[in-house]
């Protein structure tokens, strides 16, 4: 059985991460806790620490947690998503962060008309990370808007490795967002958030730095 999450430790970790952000000029950068693999105690601890949004990577986990948590939560879906999972979570998701193809956008538009979305861009060339090709980003943004979706910005996942290895991809995402006049740039996680903020991130997605090692 996984160890219970200590809300006091999570609150301390939130403050530590905020200091990390401040040191690189990220005072206004949003901190999105990611509870993938953790139980409801992680969600409650994040809410008690003053965070109002929660990121989830799996549709089943998001659906179960959304049904079980009594407090209002701004759920963000951040993982790779099969179209047949959209309907189950459409009523709960406030921001779909990993939209990487038109057909997924069509399904979201069908079950959540006008939904807020981010386009996930694959800035590393790693197929397992998902995301559209950088050169296709503008066309996908236009397609999603044609479907009536509210495209807020772009999202990317950095490569595994040293934080500096993520810098070129994050810089590319910032340039794409600027060219498309999109405000939101969701990039950076526990290990590379400083680099992400330096390259223009507006939102970092943090799991292990808040809650500790993810349960197996």
């Amino acid at each position: 059985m996984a160890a219970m999450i200590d809300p006091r430790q999570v609150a301390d970790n939130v403050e530590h991460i905020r200091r990390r952000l401040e040191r690189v000029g990220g005072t206004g950068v949003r901190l999105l806790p990611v509870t993938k693999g953790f139980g409801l105690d992680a969600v409650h601890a994040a809410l008690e620490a003053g965070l109002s949004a929660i990121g989830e990577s799996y549709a089943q986990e998001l659906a179960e947690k959304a049904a079980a948590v009594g407090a209002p939560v701004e759920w963000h879906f951040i993982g790779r998503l099969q179209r047949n999972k959209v309907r189950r979570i459409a009523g709960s998701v406030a921001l779909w962060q990993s939209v990487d193809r038109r057909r997924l956008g069509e399904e979201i538009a069908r079950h959540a008309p006008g939904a807020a979305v981010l386009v996930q861009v694959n800035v590393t060339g790693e197929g397992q990370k998902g995301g559209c090709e950088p050169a296709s980003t503008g066309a996908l943004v236009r397609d999603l808007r044609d479907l009536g979706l509210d495209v807020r910005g772009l999202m990317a996942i950095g490569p595994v490795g040293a934080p500096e290895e993520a810098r070129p991809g994050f810089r590319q995402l910032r340039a794409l967002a600027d060219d498309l006049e999109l405000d939101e740039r969701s990039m950076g996680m526990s290990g590379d958030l400083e680099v992400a903020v330096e390259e223009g991130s507006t939102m970092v997605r943090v799991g292990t730095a808040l809650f500790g090692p993810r349960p197996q």
Side-chain angles (χ1 to χ4, degrees):
M1 181 178 294
M4 291 292 289
I5 298 292
D6 181 355
R8 294 170 298 180
Q9 184 61 59
V10 172
D12 288 344
N13 292 343
V14 168
E15 292 308 308
H16 175 68
I17 292 167
R18 292 200 191 284
R19 288 194 294 272
R20 287 176 63 185
L21 294 171
E22 289 169 2
R23 284 196 289 268
V24 289
T27 303
V29 172
R30 190 171 190 188
L31 171 58
L32 180 70
V34 177
T35 59
K36 175 182 73 174
F38 294 100
L40 282 175
D41 51 342
V43 177
H44 289 302
L47 297 176
E48 289 174 22
L51 302 173
S52 60
I54 303 290
E56 275 296 337
S57 297
Y58 300 120
Q60 181 174 338
E61 276 196 58
L62 191 151
E64 292 173 352
K65 290 174 181 174
V69 176
V73 177
E74 181 186 319
W75 293 100
H76 291 210
F77 191 83
I78 63 173
R80 299 191 77 172
L81 183 60
Q82 296 175 318
R83 289 184 296 128
N84 62 1
K85 304 291 186 183
V86 169
R87 182 176 183 177
R88 184 177 185 187
I89 60 176
S92 301
V93 175
L95 181 63
W96 306 79
Q97 290 210 24
S98 53
V99 182
D100 59 359
R101 59 201 187 278
R102 180 187 171 94
R103 294 191 70 187
L104 177 57
E106 290 172 348
E107 198 69 16
I108 293 171
R110 180 175 297 115
H111 296 291
V117 303
L118 304 183
V119 168
Q120 182 176 353
V121 183
N122 189 329
V123 296
T124 68
E126 300 168 283
Q128 71 273 20
K129 282 189 164 59
C132 70
E133 293 295 322
S136 303
T137 305
L140 181 54
V141 168
R142 290 190 292 273
D143 284 347
L144 297 176
R145 285 177 170 162
D146 287 344
L147 293 168
L149 297 172
D150 178 11
V151 183
R152 301 278 180 86
L154 308 179
M155 184 269 257
I157 301 171
V160 175
E164 278 298 322
E165 294 179 13
R167 192 178 295 279
F170 291 159
R171 185 169 294 171
Q172 181 180 32
L173 192 84
R174 166 67 180 271
L176 285 169
D178 287 349
D179 288 345
L180 295 167
E181 299 182 337
L182 295 169
D183 294 330
E184 196 77 78
R185 298 176 292 274
S186 173
M187 56 189 190
M189 297 190 290
S190 295
D192 57 17
L193 63 85
E194 284 90 353
V195 171
V197 170
E198 289 170 352
E199 295 301 333
S201 176
T202 61
M203 183 189 307
V204 294
R205 309 176 304 273
V206 179
T208 55
L210 282 177
F211 306 115
R214 188 166 285 112
Q216 298 298 314

